[in-house]
Amino acid sequence: MASCPFSSATPSSAATPIPSPLPRPRFPAKFTSSLPCDELSSLGHEDGEDAVPVPDTLLSSPRMVRNAVYSFVNPEDQSKNAFLLSWNKDLATEIGVESSKIDKLSWSEEEHQHLVKVLSGGGRSLKTVLEDEKKLKDAGESPRLSQPWAHCYGGHQFGYYAGETINPSTGGSWELQLKGAGKTPYSRFADGYAVLRSSIREYLCAEAVHALGVASSRSLAILSTETMVVREEGGEPGSIVCRAAPSWIRFGSFEIFFYRKDRKNLRQLAEYVVGEVYRMEKDDPKVMAQFSEEFRKEEREAEAKLAKAKVNGNEQKSASTEKSSKDSKDKEDDNTPTRPMYHNRFAKMFAEVARRTALMVSGWQAIGFCHGVMNTDNMSILGLTIDYGPYAFLDKYDPTWICNHSDTEGRYSFQQQPGVCLWNLGRLALTLENLIGAQEQVDDLEWLSQQEADPTLEKKLKGNATDIIVEIMNKSFRDVFLKDYRERMNVKMGLGGADELQDDDLTEIVVPALAWMDDHEVDFHQFYRELADYKVQTAESVADNAGQVESFVKKLVPTPVWQSRGNVAIEECKGWLRPYHIRVLRSKYQQDDANRKAQMNKVNPMFVFRNWVAQKVIERVTDSVMKTRAGSQEPDADKDLLDRVLWMCRHPYGEDTQEVAPKVGDACEVKRNDAGLEAYGDFVGPVPEWGQGIQCSCSS
């Protein structure tokens, strides 16, 4: 996965040695060797020196691609005057980069240039090292690097390339993508580029969400390119982000085949996800046969009995009354056969997708994260947060908050996110219902084909699937979401972990506290940090803590709110604080103020990558990039700012962080802010007035 763009231009072009900082790619990639390829882009791909190259301009041209999950496409070469802005050594460790090459300061100048060239699409122009090529051939391995590809799925995709790598230590598989690397067949009329501001937002936020304990794609590197990209605001500096995930398959990957009625490739994709992404075993034919023997015979007998009862009931009908009709209906219901349902591998796959999606969105709600564009093409089959566009972390708590200013109807508002995930899962289920509904007969392809060819039989197939899907939605999504959300919120509020959950914690404390925050415009993240300082050891009740309660409320509510209705805010705060105080005192561990504070501050961040922070970072990094490109010799305090803010995103919990924030370069000074937190400089504290509630667009 880590080696998508690390390929030769065509099968006949010269081999390219792998740059030292990156692990060797898997070739051929499991993804491309298992799934159908765009026929045009595959022409001559495996023909070696006899290949007939297809021009890149044709391969990357927007066009209709059918019967394919991907297209081989080379990234556009933007390596001229490109340079590395930041490198994520934490992720580099996870994908298997050699320990001696984790830190970019250990690279030679040649290695540094080599990496920049590869990640900016210029790998095809690197000179072949014949000795390395010969060693690879002698070892029976292909000297060619993995051929990059672009995903085909329902939705929109502008310039994403993928390749695979394996961590040799863990065996973990990763796909790397270049976002902003030029056109693909799926770019439609877009240019396939990425502007610096959107690249910075994705590069940093993916790591921030991951560090806050929510599943996410990851960020390996960000580069500045010489490309000037035209957007609504005019010309902007171009950039490329190298991002990583175990798989980039989305709900939309299934939808495109479903709506094209391409059952063959839909099944092939589902088989790939089951076997290669989730590593699930094939259904055991013996188990399926046993199920069919035990339950299908019983089901058929019950159906026959019911049919006979209906016939007899009709023959005995005479001058029936309303009562006799009711008795007959009751008898019919009593004879309705139970319908045992076999959960085959596709049902199990869907259940796992639903479970992971539930954990992802419960995490979003707990950390105050708004995605902004929850289309099915932005929903990961692994339950990862992907495609960071118009996202935002909450400032003041507002459940109706819409972070995408293009979302005029509020479809993706903060409070709607769990419901949208459920709706999206329904769309995925629709694509799988025939496979799920086939139950233990799913591998009898002739039988399944007959069912799908007959509208009446297919209707029964879909009916079987509905019962299974509803059960999965309830157990794997709704139940999992509620359980995980309750556990996350209890820990955030200092009420203990999963083993200390109490039935009324959510209804008596958590929900009322959120409503109080909403009513009085309280900052979502500051609330938990201040609550961690609330002391119960010296007071038996809230009534004994009047001074502390007043101070707590005054710190949290904005000045205008305090001046206009401070007393109301205090009284309403006591409404949820009374049961909270009692609840904390019941727990031997939580009633210890120091222990509770330490526990809360390990899960409630001091540093949050809010939109106002992103805006300041974008402005400063953009100025730094422009100075560099202009050849300025002046000292640049922001030259290493991205590395420093990346560290903040990776270590968001403040004074409890054990690792000391690095001084990345001589020009990158560590500052102390008003809160006394050196690591975060000017990026923590109250949200400035200009930074409240910043919305973004899909191009941000």
Side-chain angles (χ1 to χ4, degrees), residues 107-312:
W107 303 343
S108 68
E109 182 62 26
E110 182 181 13
E111 289 171 339
H112 192 125
Q113 291 177 358
H114 199 153
L115 180 71
V116 168
K117 198 149 192 174
V118 165
L119 294 183
S120 55
R124 289 169 287 158
S125 62
L126 290 167
K127 294 180 179 179
T128 302
V129 179
L130 297 178
E131 184 178 345
D132 288 348
E133 182 180 347
K134 185 177 185 303
K135 287 179 181 178
L136 288 171
K137 285 183 177 179
D138 292 343
E141 298 182 47
S142 170
R144 244 185 9 182
L145 296 170
S146 179
Q147 174 73 40
W149 67 83
H151 279 246
C152 175
Y153 53 78
H156 312 293
Q157 179 186 33
F158 303 139
Y160 300 165
Y161 294 84
E164 295 179 0
T165 192
I166 302 294
N167 184 322
S169 300
T170 65
S173 180
W174 290 86
E175 286 185 21
L176 294 195
Q177 284 191 344
L178 295 185
K179 183 177 180 180
K183 291 183 178 181
T184 76
Y186 317 113
S187 297
R188 301 198 304 174
F189 300 106
D191 54 25
Y193 299 133
V195 294
L196 181 59
R197 58 185 164 89
S198 66
S199 297
I200 289 173
R201 284 172 57 82
E202 170 142 10
Y203 179 73
L204 294 175
C205 195
E207 291 301 302
V209 169
H210 172 75
L212 292 172
V214 180
S216 174
S217 60
R218 305 291 304 281
S219 304
L220 179 62
I222 179 172
L223 300 96
S224 169
T225 69
E226 200 173 45
T227 305
M228 287 302 292
V229 184
V230 178
R231 292 291 182 264
E232 296 90 340
E233 294 79 4
E236 299 185 54
S239 180
I240 293 175
V241 172
C242 181
R243 57 188 190 173
S247 173
W248 289 98
I249 296 175
R250 303 124 185 280
F251 292 11
S253 304
F254 289 84
E255 284 187 292
I256 195 165
F257 292 127
F258 176 77
Y259 288 110
R260 289 177 176 176
K261 302 186 185 303
D262 186 350
R263 293 190 176 110
K264 177 184 176 182
N265 283 320
L266 176 61
R267 182 183 181 114
Q268 190 171 349
L269 177 62
E271 293 280 20
Y272 176 81
V273 173
V274 167
E276 298 300 333
V277 178
Y278 277 125
R279 305 286 182 183
M280 292 179 175
E281 294 183 359
K282 281 266 192 180
D283 289 288
D284 188 333
K286 292 182 180 179
V287 174
M288 292 195 293
Q290 182 180 357
F291 180 91
S292 187
E293 177 67 25
E294 292 179 0
F295 295 106
R296 294 299 173 231
K297 181 180 178 181
E298 179 182 329
E299 187 180 56
R300 288 192 295 271
E301 290 174 349
E303 287 175 347
K305 184 178 179 181
L306 177 59
K308 184 177 180 181
K310 286 181 178 179
V311 170
N312 292 337

Side-chain angles (χ1 to χ4, degrees), residues 529 597-602 653-659:
R529 299 291 294 201
K597 177 177 180 177
Q599 182 187 67
M600 291 177 69
N601 285 349
K602 287 179 180 178
Y653 298 112
E655 59 269 37
D656 292 324
T657 299
Q658 298 300 311
E659 184 180 340

Side-chain angles (χ1 to χ4, degrees), residues 453-473:
D454 185 322
T456 302
L457 295 176
E458 187 175 37
K459 184 177 180 180
K460 183 179 179 181
L461 204 65
K462 295 180 185 299
N464 291 341
T466 297
D467 294 339
I468 297 173
I469 289 166
V470 168
E471 180 184 19
I472 289 172
M473 292 287 209

Side-chain angles (χ1 to χ4, degrees), residues 263-264 266-268 271 344-346 431-455 457-462 464-465:
R263 293 190 176 110
K264 177 184 176 182
L266 176 61
R267 182 183 181 114
Q268 190 171 349
E271 293 280 20
N344 59 35
R345 61 189 178 278
F346 302 109
T431 72
L432 298 170
E433 61 181 355
N434 282 10
L435 296 175
I436 292 173
Q439 300 184 84
E440 82 280 8
Q441 293 174 279
V442 70
D443 290 331
D444 186 341
L445 300 184
E446 183 177 351
W447 174 88
L448 183 56
S449 179
Q450 291 172 352
Q451 307 301 301
E452 293 176 331
D454 185 322
L457 295 176
E458 187 175 37
K459 184 177 180 180
K460 183 179 179 181
L461 204 65
K462 295 180 185 299
N464 291 341

